[in-house]
Amino acid sequence: MNNNAYNINIFSGGAELLFDNKRHYNIDLPNKDTWKLGDLLIWLRDNLLSERPELFIQNNSVRPGILVLVNDSDWELMVSSDLWYLICSLCQILCKYAPCP
Amino acid sequence: MPMCSRKCGKNAVLKRPKTGDALCKECFFEVFENEIHFTITRANLFKPGSTVAIGASGGKDSTVLAYVLKLLNEKYKYGLKLVLLSIDEGITGYRDDSLKTVEQNRDDYEMELKVLSYKDLYGWTMDEIVKQIGRKNNCTFCGVFRRQALDRGAMQLNVDYLSTGHNADDIAETVLMNILRGDLARLKRCTSIITDSGDGIPRVKPLKYTYEKEIVMYAYFRKLVYFSTECVFAPNAYRGHARILLKDLEKIDPSVIMNIIQSGESLVINEDRKLPSLTKCQKCAYVSSQQICKACILLEGLNRGLPKLGIGKSSRVNKLITENNRQNNCCNDNCNKNCTNLVKNNV
């Protein structure tokens, strides 16, 4: 299996609105030594995002209100040790988005 | 992966913004529900045997509120009867879909559901209002009408309380907004967990200390069905600014949200300061700080073809009405007789 195949599982809670209203993506990341979560989020913005990129990434991180889960865990548990947590293959990334009022 | 801070031996699944604790799923459910229970009991929020309407939009907050109230009501025997109350603003592509979610809530939680529409109450849908007013000030109409519609629905359902899903982030945002606007009357009451609108039905906010992030996570881990599309019309610009400011502050230190709420609660407004006293609207008898309530003025504007009438200060409203009367001599023919009142009362 390709080491760079990721199952980006769901954009839900409103985040899917920024991604062409689709909740599931299977993606192939280009070859690179280490893929960190931060790299992946930027890659998502540049390659999958369909509209309003400023509602996804701001100041080099996700916009406040976007919650990221990796394998069903809050990524804020990981960023404390390494801001750009190294992702393992076949991670499920889930972005939850709390929309504006 | 960090372990649960409560030393239960399981892996943590989220970091709580409120305390910084890392918790596993089960411990998170427990503290989340217990804190809301504690908020309810400490404030003595509900009298046993009463009926509580839940203002339900189909969004995350009201869905979590309905789920948790049902759960706590059964677990701690509050002895409450819970009903769902929804307002149909008449926004195609937004409310029509979210009402389906509310109907799902009704079936899942086995609660009675009442839906009131702007069209029935006011004769106008939001789609029609936006056609008149444009996309700039439409949130004023929607907000004023919704507040009153919820109260009317609660009265029709004959409930003792109207509970809404306002969360800690919402309350902190409102405190900031009222400070920025210098609105002392609202600043004074916006942090109360229970507000009594005159002779109306008390409004309660059981989620006032619950962070938005935890609500989203709770709904996700509990697999609750909710609706998350943004309103198709422009969002309330001013609130949007307060929200961005708050979210930026929260990034630096999540406890700012609780701190802002606490500051709001502890504020004492100078008693010498003149605050508008509440009275009844002379047209619809709804509680109001003016002789004619905001909803009636907005409606009057729509019906007279002056949609901007109620937007802005009352002095401007007076001027507009006088001008319009002079031009049209309106009370003689095409206008409904309500506007005689409006002129007489010098709104």
Side-chain angles (χ1 to χ4, degrees), chain B residues 126-183:
Chain B
M126 270 313 287
D127 286 344
E128 290 163 353
I129 292 173
V130 172
K131 256 185 221 150
Q132 293 290 316
I133 185 91
R135 289 187 169 225
K136 206 166 161 229
N137 290 309
N138 59 74
C139 291
T140 305
F141 284 85
C142 203
V144 170
F145 284 172
R146 188 179 317 96
R147 191 182 163 81
Q148 203 186 84
L150 277 170
D151 277 343
R152 286 175 189 234
M155 249 176 272
Q156 288 182 19
L157 282 166
N158 201 17
V159 298
D160 304 296
Y161 303 93
L162 172 60
S163 65
T164 54
H166 291 103
N167 61 43
D169 299 53
D170 295 332
I171 312 261
E173 205 174 282
T174 310
V175 171
L176 280 183
M177 224 166 77
N178 289 331
I179 290 174
L180 297 177
R181 282 181 164 158
D183 190 334

Side-chain angles (χ1 to χ4, degrees), chain A residues 75-93:
Chain A
W75 82 318
E76 284 188 48
L77 289 171
M78 303 147 193
V79 293
S80 55
S81 51
D82 176 5
L83 184 68
W84 301 111
Y85 179 72
L86 184 64
I87 50 174
C88 52
S89 58
L90 295 175
C91 278
Q92 289 193 336
I93 313 283

